[in-house]
């Protein structure tokens, strides 16, 4: 077993770290305040190959492995979790699904543009009454021979108002349950597709989250992904990889907050010495470091499983469950170490604390991860 990063992995991590510090940091507070989508920064991330990290270069991607993906996700998330979720959704939920299960035509037409970052993707599964219970899709896709007609509403869609291509999960044969679900590629200009209101969120405020409406949207049959009825498995497989990305995001949020708290504790004086010299603070830092290291090992293990071609459904759920808990708990501690300053925006930790919460909710709540893990435990 080798826990060391290769020289190449270190270079990738350092490039992402450098980008996050020089490009993401300067406007991050303003974007959070204004709920401003980082359009120009997405272009810069695309130039660095971050929008199609694991995609084969023949489809416009960077051809890197999953370890590289989580290293990039961690570094971006330390500074700006809004930017990193844009990257994560495009990579894990959209590019991965198209590359693994799309036809050659779909890859040429859509994946090449998404992986290069020329276009942005969104993944549309959640509905007003189908978030965790993903089989209860109310959105319908009626088979009309050479095309489908899609009707329904999708909620909380990341990149919702900014995407060019949407992977839309819909029910085609209600009586077949999860086997009657399909996924379709919808283009933003298709008639009947409407972007609804933007959500005013607690965290990841620089990302763009919308309700979407589909009113008799005509989608050609060749835009269905996989065999008829493959949609639910497509969503589950795709979400397993997505959970590695969100686990890495949670790790980044936690480690970003920890680094800020550590630095602050060495500068801030109270009772005649830097506060890190008080055991009350030193022990907090020890706990934070330990928890974050444990989360990192779980995130890396899951990425490693994926790179080795092993099943990663359970390890990704474990990594996401644990890393998101660490992110929530340790960002609260980082605010505490900062005292009154922690409550003020310019110190960044309050934003990281707000951003942490979503990692316990999206791409499956913590309770959903426990369903996945407990089923695996009971099966074995
Ligand atoms: N890979 C492949 N197939 C899978 C699978 C996986 N990881 N997980 C389940 N399946 C298959 C099962 O084998 C089964 O197939 P068969 O009938 O052929 O055996 C089928 O799918 C149904 O599986 P279950 O009976 O386990 O399904 P379920 O209804 O009990 O649901 C669940 C399981 C884990 C709770 C699932 O519904 C789930 O993950 N829900 C959460 C959905 C979610 O993450 N939503 C978040 C929205 S996306 C988002 O947040 C994006 C964003 O914008 C950031």
């Amino acid at each position: 077993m080798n826990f060391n990063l290769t020289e190449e992995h270190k270079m990738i991590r350092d490039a992402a770290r450098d980008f996050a510090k020089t490009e993401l940091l300067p406007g991050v507070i303003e974007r959070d305040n204004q709920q401003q989508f980082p359009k120009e920064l997405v272009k810069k991330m695309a130039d660095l190959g971050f929008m199609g990290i694991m995609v084969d270069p023949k489809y416009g991607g960077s051809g890197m492995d999953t370890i590289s993906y989580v290293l990039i996700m961690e570094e971006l998330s330390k500074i700006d979790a809004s930017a990193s979720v844009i990257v994560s959704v495009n990579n894990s939920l959209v590019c991965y699904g198209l590359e693994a299960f799309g036809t050659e035509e779909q890859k040429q037409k859509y994946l090449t543009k998404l992986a290069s970052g020329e276009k942005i993707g969104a993944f549309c599964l959640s509905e007003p009454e189908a978030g965790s219970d993903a089989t209860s899709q109310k959105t319908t896709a009626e088979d009309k021979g050479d095309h489908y007609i899609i009707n329904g509403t999708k909620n909380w869609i990341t990149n919702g108002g900014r995407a060019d291509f949407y992977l839309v999960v819909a029910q085609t044969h209600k009586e077949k349950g999860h086997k009657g679900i399909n996924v379709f590629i919808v283009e933003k200009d298709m008639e009947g597709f409407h972007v609804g209101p933007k959500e005013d969120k607690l965290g990841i405020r620089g990302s763009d989250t919308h309700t979407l409406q589909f009113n008799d949207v005509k989608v050609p049959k060749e835009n269905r992904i996989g065999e008829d009825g493959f949609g639910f498995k497509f969503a589950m497989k795709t979400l397993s990889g997505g959970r590695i990305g969100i686990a890495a995001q949670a790790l980044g949020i936690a480690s970003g907050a920890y680094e800020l708290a550590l630095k602050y504790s060495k500068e801030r004086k109270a009772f005649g010495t830097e506060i890190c010299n008080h055991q009350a603070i030193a022990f907090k830092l020890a706990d934070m470091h330990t928890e974050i290291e444990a989360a990192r090992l779980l995130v890396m293990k899951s990425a490693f499983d994926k790179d080795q071609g092993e099943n990663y459904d359970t390890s990704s759920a474990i990594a996401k469950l644990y890393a998101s808990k660490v992110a929530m708990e340790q960002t609260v501690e980082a605010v505490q170490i900062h005292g009154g300053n922690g409550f003020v925006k310019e110190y960044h930790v309050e934003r990281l604390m707000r951003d942490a919460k979503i990692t316990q909710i999206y791409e499956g709540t913590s309770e959903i991860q426990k369903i996945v893990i407990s089923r695996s435990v009971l099966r074995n």
Side-chain angles (χ1 to χ4, degrees):
M1 225 188 298
N2 182 358
F3 288 95
N4 293 321
L5 293 178
T6 63
E7 286 310 310
E8 198 184 341
H9 284 138
K10 284 183 195 161
M11 272 170 54
I12 291 163
R13 179 200 60 195
D14 293 348
R17 185 175 292 172
D18 190 47
F19 173 80
K21 281 191 181 147
T22 55
E23 299 283 352
L24 296 180
L25 184 59
V28 68
I29 294 175
E30 181 68 6
R31 290 194 298 279
D32 176 68
N33 279 339
Q34 306 293 326
Q35 298 202 78
Q36 208 179 81
F37 184 83
K39 194 170 164 208
E40 292 309 313
L41 292 167
V42 172
K43 281 198 196 125
K44 290 184 181 178
M45 291 194 288
D47 291 342
L48 287 169
F50 292 173
M51 296 304 276
I53 296 166
M54 294 164 287
V55 176
D56 192 322
K58 76 176 178 192
Y59 297 119
S62 304
M64 298 188 221
D65 58 8
T66 316
I67 298 284
S68 306
Y69 173 52
V70 302
L71 290 170
I72 293 168
M73 279 299 295
E74 180 182 356
E75 293 305 324
L76 301 180
S77 307
K78 280 183 188 176
I79 307 279
D80 187 350
S82 296
S84 72
V85 74
I86 298 165
V87 168
S88 183
V89 166
N90 202 69
N91 275 279
S92 291
L93 299 186
V94 184
C95 288
Y96 167 78
L98 279 168
E99 187 169 26
F101 306 112
T103 62
E104 188 56 30
E105 291 70 29
Q106 290 168 347
K107 290 178 197 177
Q108 293 298 343
K109 188 168 176 192
Y110 298 109
L111 178 60
T112 50
K113 295 190 173 77
L114 290 160
S116 64
E118 184 189 332
K119 304 283 183 193
I120 297 177
F123 179 80
C124 311
L125 172 73
S126 301
E127 299 187 350
E129 291 170 57
S132 294
D133 183 5
T135 47
S136 296
Q137 294 289 310
K138 296 276 187 298
T139 297
T140 55
E142 214 182 320
D143 191 343
K144 296 284 189 187
D146 65 343
H147 66 274
Y148 285 87
I149 297 290
I150 301 185
N151 279 289
T153 305
K154 294 289 175 182
N155 275 29
W156 312 298
I157 305 302
T158 305
N159 299 340
R162 298 285 174 164
D164 302 280
F165 307 138
Y166 298 79
L167 300 191
V168 180
V169 182
Q171 188 82 56
T172 39
H173 311 280
K174 194 171 172 13
E175 70 289 353
K176 291 188 184 169
H178 73 78
K179 292 193 164 75
I181 289 174
N182 277 294
V183 177
F184 302 90
I185 307 163
V186 172
E187 298 180 22
K188 73 168 181 207
D189 297 328
M190 285 179 171
E191 213 179 320
F193 170 70
H194 302 286
V195 176
K198 179 170 167 152
E199 302 294 350
D200 186 0
K201 307 188 298 272
L202 172 74
I204 55 161
R205 288 170 58 81
S207 71
D208 187 71
T209 311
H210 283 261
T211 295
L212 304 175
Q213 193 69 43
F214 300 82
N215 297 330
D216 290 330
V217 180
K218 184 175 169 184
V219 179
K221 200 150 219 171
E222 61 265 22
N223 279 28
R224 190 187 74 208
I225 302 180
E227 293 296 308
D228 191 13
F230 180 63
F232 189 74
K233 289 198 176 172
F234 174 91
M236 290 300 107
K237 256 333 315 145
T238 304
L239 279 165
S240 284
R243 287 166 187 162
I244 302 176
I246 299 306
Q249 181 187 47
L251 172 65
I253 293 170
S255 54
Y258 165 73
E259 285 171 15
L260 288 169
L262 180 63
K263 182 168 177 289
Y264 184 84
S265 75
K266 290 178 179 173
E267 292 164 0
R268 173 80 176 178
K269 288 189 177 159
F271 304 103
T273 182
E274 288 78 16
I275 60 172
C276 63
N277 296 323
H278 297 297
Q279 217 172 47
I281 301 298
F283 279 13
K284 275 191 197 300
L285 291 166
D287 281 340
M288 290 172 91
H289 182 60
T290 305
E291 291 292 317
I292 289 166
E293 282 299 294
R296 179 170 289 110
L297 289 175
L298 290 173
V299 173
M300 287 296 174
K301 164 71 168 61
S302 190
F304 183 76
D305 284 348
K306 184 161 177 281
D307 285 337
Q308 296 302 306
E310 300 286 334
N311 187 300
Y312 52 92
D313 297 336
T314 309
S315 65
S316 62
I318 293 173
K320 182 179 180 292
L321 176 68
Y322 195 75
S324 62
K325 177 173 166 282
V326 169
M328 197 65 252
E329 291 173 357
Q330 304 314 328
T331 52
V332 170
E333 288 295 71
V335 171
Q336 193 67 21
I337 290 172
H338 279 76
N341 283 330
F343 213 58
V344 174
K345 293 198 173 188
E346 69 174 281
Y347 285 84
H348 297 280
V349 283
E350 65 80 36
R351 185 187 67 259
L352 291 166
M353 185 181 81
R354 287 187 283 107
D355 289 346
K357 187 60 207 167
I358 192 62
T359 65
Q360 295 185 301
I361 298 172
Y362 58 21
E363 300 193 27
T365 59
S366 297
E367 291 71 22
I368 289 292
Q369 309 315 315
K370 289 182 193 180
I371 292 179
V372 174
I373 299 161
S374 62
R375 284 183 182 174
S376 157
V377 167
L378 294 169
R379 225 177 10 245
N380 295 324

